[in-house]
Amino acid sequence: MSVLPAAPPAASAERLTPVGEVALLARRVGAMCLVELQKLRHDRTELITRTIQPALWLVVFGTTFSRIHAIPTGSTPYLDFLAPGILAQSALFVAIFYGIQVIWERDAGVLAKLLVTPTPRAALVTSKAFAAGIRALVQALVVVVIALLLGVGITPNPLHWVAAAAVVVLGSAFFCCLSITLAGVVLSRDRLMGIGQAITMPLFFASNALYPVAVMPGWLQWISHVNPLSYEVDALRGLLVGTPARVGLDAVVLVVAAVAMISIASALLPRLARG
């Protein structure tokens, strides 16, 4: 009596089929984004507390420096110049500590369970990155509302709003994966918190968020040119306020930076899971 060969697991078809892998990645990213939205719905306190700092930057720093005209921004009012920078800053602060959540998942045993599933490591990291982007978009919306209340001249063009949302997601994806990469190196929540706090403000001040690149000293201009936050701010300024910007170049840099950092974070994910 012949025995029929056992059918291969259904998951292997997805592993072997590129279309199946893309579909699996899309489902994973969508599921993680929904989880983030549910977290925000159940814990609005975090959203409120994270709003305080960008509100202070816009209301106190922005309005004060608009009056004294200390920073040359040409024909663009300083508050209009500043608002996209604070929007990018708020998204940075959301994403840069995302690795702490991944360490918590490791300690709870969730990360190890995810790594033994057929889901590729890159899919897991990408889902985290875009979930951070969704959270940053909610934060960015609050900043936009504050900016509008202060009279910032933000464009009503819906296509520009959609493009700006994509820029925020890309920037957040990069900094989220940078955080996961650091988590894979230091393996500790306390160390990651310290490093995150140590690099956040230098990233912010070494960008064009507060002042034009032209007024920076030469060494700081060089750092600004390799800082992804500068390209995010430049794109947001061009899309939302209408200042001259290289939006195409900014988008390419952000996409390349996000893909590169997703690859690095994916390579370090097993090390992070082992702890």
Side-chain angles (χ1 to χ4, degrees):
M1 181 176 178
S2 60
V3 179
L4 293 176
S12 64
E14 286 189 314
R15 289 199 299 269
L16 296 175
T17 306
V19 175
E21 290 184 359
V22 172
L24 180 62
L25 174 62
R27 290 197 300 270
R28 177 66 67 178
V29 171
M32 293 298 297
C33 291
L34 287 176
V35 169
E36 287 301 317
L37 290 175
Q38 289 174 355
K39 288 179 182 178
L40 285 177
R41 187 183 65 180
H42 293 299
D43 186 14
R44 297 184 179 91
T45 305
E46 181 183 358
L47 181 61
I48 296 173
T49 54
R50 287 186 181 275
T51 303
I52 295 174
Q53 189 172 35
L56 289 175
W57 275 102
L58 286 173
V59 175
V60 179
F61 188 88
T63 55
T64 300
F65 274 71
S66 294
R67 289 172 179 266
I68 63 178
H69 304 286
I71 300 176
T73 56
S75 59
T76 304
Y78 182 69
L79 196 58
D80 291 26
F81 179 89
L82 178 66
I86 300 304
L87 193 155
Q89 178 218 46
S90 66
L92 165 67
F93 286 4
V94 168
I96 200 66
F97 294 106
Y98 219 83
I100 295 175
Q101 178 179 330
V102 181
I103 293 178
W104 178 88
E105 290 179 353
R106 179 203 65 192
D107 295 341
V110 175
L111 185 58
K113 294 178 181 178
L114 288 174
L115 285 176
V116 299
T117 66
T119 306
R121 287 175 296 176
L124 294 173
V125 173
T126 304
S127 65
K128 296 287 186 185
F130 281 90
I134 292 296
R135 183 178 286 263
L137 277 180
V138 177
Q139 179 75 35
L141 182 60
V142 176
V143 176
V144 168
V145 170
I146 296 173
L148 289 172
L149 291 175
L150 292 174
V152 174
I154 295 179
T155 178
N157 189 327
L159 295 178
H160 285 197
W161 281 62
V162 172
V167 168
V168 170
V169 170
L170 285 172
S172 300
F174 171 83
F175 290 111
C176 169
C177 292
L178 174 62
S179 181
I180 295 174
T181 298
L182 293 174
V185 173
V186 301
L187 304 175
S188 166
R189 268 179 283 186
D190 293 336
R191 292 176 183 173
L192 181 58
M193 178 67 75
I195 293 175
Q197 292 175 341
I199 67 174
T200 300
M201 295 312 291
L203 281 170
F204 177 51
F205 286 115
S207 72
N208 56 354
L210 295 177
Y211 26 69
V213 176
V215 304
M216 299 179 184
W219 61 270
L220 190 57
Q221 289 185 20
W222 184 87
I223 296 175
S224 176
H225 288 319
V226 297
N227 184 354
L229 187 64
S230 294
Y231 295 92
E232 182 180 356
V233 173
D234 185 67
L236 290 175
R237 255 189 212 121
L239 291 168
L240 297 178
V241 182
T243 59
R246 301 168 297 177
V247 178
L249 174 63
D250 297 331
V252 170
V253 170
L254 290 173
V255 169
V256 171
V259 170
M261 195 54 65
I262 287 172
S263 302
I264 296 172
S266 301
L268 287 173
L269 199 60
R271 183 177 188 272
L272 175 58
R274 291 192 299 268

